[in-house]
């Protein structure tokens, strides 16, 4: 059974960086991984995703150029590098898995793909 656990969250000043990790209990070879965030009083937002092979990525416009995804399938782990963080990035960040037949495609659009397995989330706070 797939279980996901996020780590790496914390408090950082504006302009700072954090690297979030999403560790899985089983191999991630068959899964695209998405990162989502939810701020208090706001709807959950898809942030970024990475395809099974690691070759396909998608980023929300709000994080393009600042966030970078990578994955190490040998370690069953996906990483979200977040640079130049802004106060509006403050949220609980969760990773989720989409068991997909497409090696190089992913999307965080819930109308196109469904993420069935979720981690509990990690808090990211950007504040001076």
């Amino acid at each position: 059974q797939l279980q996901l656990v996020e780590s790496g969250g914390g408090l950082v000043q504006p302009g700072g960086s954090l690297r979030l990790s999403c560790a899985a209990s089983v191999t991630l070879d068959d899964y695209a991984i998405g990162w989502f965030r939810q701020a208090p009083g706001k709807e959950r937002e898809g942030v970024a995703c990475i395809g099974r092979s690691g070759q396909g990525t998608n980023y929300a416009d709000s994080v393009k150029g600042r966030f970078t995804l990578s994955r190490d399938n040998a370690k069953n782990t996906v990483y979200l590098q977040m640079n130049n963080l802004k106060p509006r990035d403050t949220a609980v960040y969760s990773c989720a898995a989409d068991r997909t037949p497409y090696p190089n495609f992913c999307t965080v659009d819930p109308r196109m793909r469904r993420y069935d397995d979720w981690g509990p989330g990690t808090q990211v706070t950007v504040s001076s």
Side-chain angles (χ1 to χ4, degrees):
Q1 182 178 354
L2 174 62
Q3 293 184 324
L4 302 172
V5 178
E6 304 90 344
S7 61
L11 173 64
V12 63
Q13 291 187 343
S17 298
L18 284 174
R19 188 177 79 158
L20 304 184
S21 298
C22 173
S25 58
V26 298
T27 179
L28 288 176
D29 289 352
D30 295 333
Y31 298 91
I33 299 296
W35 281 92
F36 300 79
R37 66 186 182 187
Q38 189 165 20
K42 294 188 176 181
E43 291 189 358
R44 187 170 62 199
E45 173 191 14
V47 174
C49 63
I50 186 166
R52 283 168 41 197
S53 69
Q55 297 302 309
T57 54
N58 271 307
Y59 297 92
D61 288 343
S62 58
V63 306
K64 276 181 183 176
R66 300 188 298 122
F67 290 12
T68 303
L69 273 171
S70 62
R71 63 189 293 161
D72 185 341
N73 282 0
K75 295 183 178 179
N76 300 333
T77 303
V78 171
Y79 305 98
L80 180 65
Q81 177 67 42
M82 306 187 296
N83 297 328
N84 190 20
L85 283 161
K86 305 177 185 300
R88 58 181 170 86
D89 294 318
T90 295
V92 174
Y93 284 70
S94 300
C95 64
D98 167 23
R99 192 178 182 102
T100 174
Y102 310 112
N104 298 321
F105 173 78
C106 71
T107 178
V108 293
D109 186 340
R111 297 168 297 179
M112 298 181 66
R113 297 295 303 178
R114 188 179 73 188
Y115 288 79
D116 290 323
D117 299 283
W118 292 77
T122 185
Q123 176 71 46
V124 171
T125 302
V126 185
S127 176
S128 55

